[in-house]
Amino acid sequence: MIGLITILFIVALLISGKVTPIVAMVIPPILGAFIAGYSFTEIGGFFGNGVSSVINVAIMFIFAIIFFGIMQDVGLFDPLINKMVAFSRGSVITVSVGTVLVAAIAHLDGSGASTFLITIPALLPVYKRLQMNPYLLLLLVGGSASIMNMIPWAGPLGRTATVLEADVTELWQPLIPIQIIGMVLMIGLAVLLGIREKRRIIRKYGSLEVAATLEAPAAAAPDASASVQTGPANGLARPQLLWVNACLAIAVVGVLVAGIIPAGLAFMIGVSIALPLNFFKVNDQMERLRAHAPNALTMASIILAAGLFLGILNGTGMLTAIANDAVTILPGSIAPYLHIIVGLLGVPFDLILSTDAYYFALLPVVDQIASGFGVASLSTAYAMVIGNIVGTFVSPLSPALWLALGLAGLEMGRHIRYSLFWIWGISIVLVITAIFMGVI
């Protein structure tokens, strides 16, 4: 109960926007640990374990945000932005649909972090140029990547296969039609929200053409790309080095996807090459670091705070207790349909449970109860995977989502408020579709 109250309180604070994420993820879990009877010494141990689990992510945050900030400064994405704007002819709907397709392709490696690192820096300036809501970008990229996350080499299906002791490829095959339907739904959502966004822009600026000629307000995105000038007067642009910078960016992302070296090291090397390549004077190099370091360090500090949060929840056993209690309090009359109920509530569960807790703690308990009523383990697994996986990147417990927020300069609470309704709706539709198709 203490763990559930702690997580709900943290989620409420994040949604409210009254405090910074660091405050929300540091004070409540520490108070929860004290109430549960743990000492400062034990909490210190939880902190050490939690931070050690996220330190590599924090390092990647720092150098990834600086690297892509430099790439944007020197105009690497300007040709892509101009071509997308020209191709779309100011069509917000075309950009929205393109976002879904680009994110799906980018997520073929199964890594949420690399997907956001590829898509957000490239597409965010397009959204700014067209005065589109950046939270729409995050919703479309996150939703598309979540559906693609059903591939065997991604985390959720691998965890499920581990619990069921099943072959992950065989587990995936019945989900392929669900993935296809999910992508169709995401494209439909992109069209719907694109129409809504188009109307908003016209109401605010008079026409799409007028909106596209305006400079994006600097205050709209206080992130690693805040210093990007998408207009023609970008004094930091290095058009003569466009292909050199493009090769450098591709190489860094390629190394990241291949997993040859740690992601943090890849971006550290990338920054070390990009700075002298584009800025010959030391003062200019330091100026670029000073321009992007505050945002990079802010996001790194949030990740370290999240490490404390997860360290306490794991160390005290709160997450496991939440997973067990979530099913024991349900009435016995609904037990035969428990897997479907949990599937329909998969996205809300994502707000309060980590991926490991959901698949390694909650799934076995639900499977045990449902199997007692003749429900096959595969049916239980599919219900929980389909219902939960779409909400992967709307959860504050997703490290990759924090990376996306850092790259886009957005707030977790506003993202949840903007995306939760649509993402949960797609999740419910997919679960119901899977029932009619016989997958569940």
Side-chain angles (χ1 to χ4, degrees):
M1 182 59 69
I2 295 175
L4 180 60
I5 293 174
T6 299
I7 293 179
L8 290 177
F9 187 48
I10 291 172
V11 172
L13 287 176
L14 289 171
I15 293 177
S16 71
K18 299 296 184 182
V19 296
T20 67
I22 296 175
V23 175
M25 288 187 291
V26 170
I27 302 301
I30 290 178
L31 293 177
F34 278 135
I35 295 173
Y38 291 91
S39 65
F40 253 129
T41 301
E42 291 171 310
I43 293 175
F46 300 150
F47 168 76
N49 293 333
V51 169
S52 65
S53 68
V54 301
I55 188 64
N56 290 332
V57 178
I59 293 173
M60 182 187 71
F61 263 64
I62 294 173
F63 288 97
I65 291 176
I66 293 175
F67 177 76
F68 281 108
I70 294 171
M71 291 295 100
Q72 290 172 330
D73 285 343
V74 299
L76 174 62
F77 302 114
D78 286 351
L80 174 62
I81 297 167
N82 294 330
K83 287 183 179 180
M84 284 193 68
V85 173
F87 174 75
S88 66
R89 296 181 180 178
S91 172
V92 174
I93 300 173
T94 302
V95 172
S96 299
V97 173
T99 299
V100 172
L101 299 178
V102 169
I105 295 172
H107 199 71
L108 285 173
D109 69 334
S111 170
S114 64
T115 299
F116 289 125
L117 287 168
I118 293 169
T119 57
I120 299 296
L123 295 178
L124 180 62
V126 178
Y127 276 65
K128 289 182 178 180
R129 177 76 66 84
L130 297 177
Q131 307 299 328
M132 294 174 65
N133 191 338
Y135 286 96
L136 174 61
L137 167 63
L138 195 55
L139 165 59
L140 296 178
V141 172
S144 179
S146 295
I147 292 171
M148 289 299 296
N149 215 31
M150 294 182 193
I151 52 181
W153 50 91
L157 219 59
R159 290 176 175 87
T160 303
T162 301
V163 172
L164 300 183
E165 298 181 357
D167 180 78
V168 67
T169 304
E170 294 179 1
L171 196 62
W172 173 54
Q173 290 171 351
L175 291 176
I176 296 177
I178 302 298
Q179 278 186 289
I180 295 173
I181 294 172
M183 289 307 303
V184 172
L185 290 175
M186 280 303 306
I187 292 174
L189 179 62
V191 172
L192 175 64
L193 296 183
I195 293 173
R196 188 180 73 168
E197 189 68 9
K198 177 181 177 180
R199 291 173 178 171
R200 183 192 67 82
I201 294 172
I202 292 175
R203 282 197 308 268
K204 184 173 182 179
Y205 298 101
S207 70
L208 297 177
E209 291 75 14
V210 172
T213 60
L214 300 175
E215 285 291 328
D223 62 300
S225 62
S227 59
V228 177
Q229 302 178 39
T230 56
N234 183 2
L236 299 173
R238 300 290 188 270
Q240 70 278 13
L241 295 174
L242 176 64
W243 289 108
V244 177
N245 284 312
C247 289
L248 174 60
I250 292 172
V252 171
V253 174
V255 169
L256 174 72
V257 173
I260 300 174
I261 58 177
L265 178 58
F267 285 112
M268 190 181 295
I269 294 173
V271 170
S272 300
I273 296 174
L275 282 173
L277 176 66
N278 293 282
F279 304 98
F280 302 117
K281 297 180 180 179
V282 175
N283 288 339
D284 292 340
Q285 296 174 20
M286 292 301 298
E287 181 59 33
R288 289 302 88 213
L289 289 177
R290 282 191 291 266
H292 301 295
N295 301 292
L297 293 176
T298 297
M299 290 311 304
S301 65
I302 291 174
I303 285 298
L304 294 175
L308 167 65
F309 165 50
L310 295 174
I312 290 178
L313 293 183
N314 284 311
T316 58
M318 290 180 183
L319 285 180
T320 302
I322 291 172
N324 291 328
D325 292 344
V327 293
T328 57
I329 62 175
L330 293 173
S333 60
I334 64 174
Y337 311 101
L338 181 60
H339 61 304
I340 296 176
I341 294 172
V342 173
L344 293 173
L345 297 174
V347 172
F349 269 121
D350 229 346
L351 295 177
I352 60 175
L353 294 177
S354 68
T355 302
D356 287 335
Y358 185 84
Y359 289 101
F360 290 140
L362 184 59
L363 173 57
V365 177
V366 174
D367 180 37
Q368 182 179 3
I369 294 175
S371 62
F373 292 87
V375 179
S377 295
L378 278 178
S379 183
T380 299
Y382 286 140
M384 294 185 62
V385 168
I386 295 170
N388 171 265
I389 204 167
V390 183
T392 300
F393 299 119
V394 78
S395 169
L397 299 177
S398 169
L401 177 57
W402 288 104
L403 174 60
L405 293 168
L407 291 170
L410 304 179
E411 300 174 7
M412 176 65 78
R414 291 185 63 184
H415 168 58
I416 294 176
R417 290 196 299 271
Y418 187 92
S419 303
L420 181 60
F421 172 80
W422 302 106
I423 292 297
W424 193 6
I426 289 180
S427 169
I428 292 174
V429 171
L430 287 180
V431 170
I432 294 175
T433 301
I435 294 174
F436 280 109
M437 293 177 61
V439 177
I440 299 176

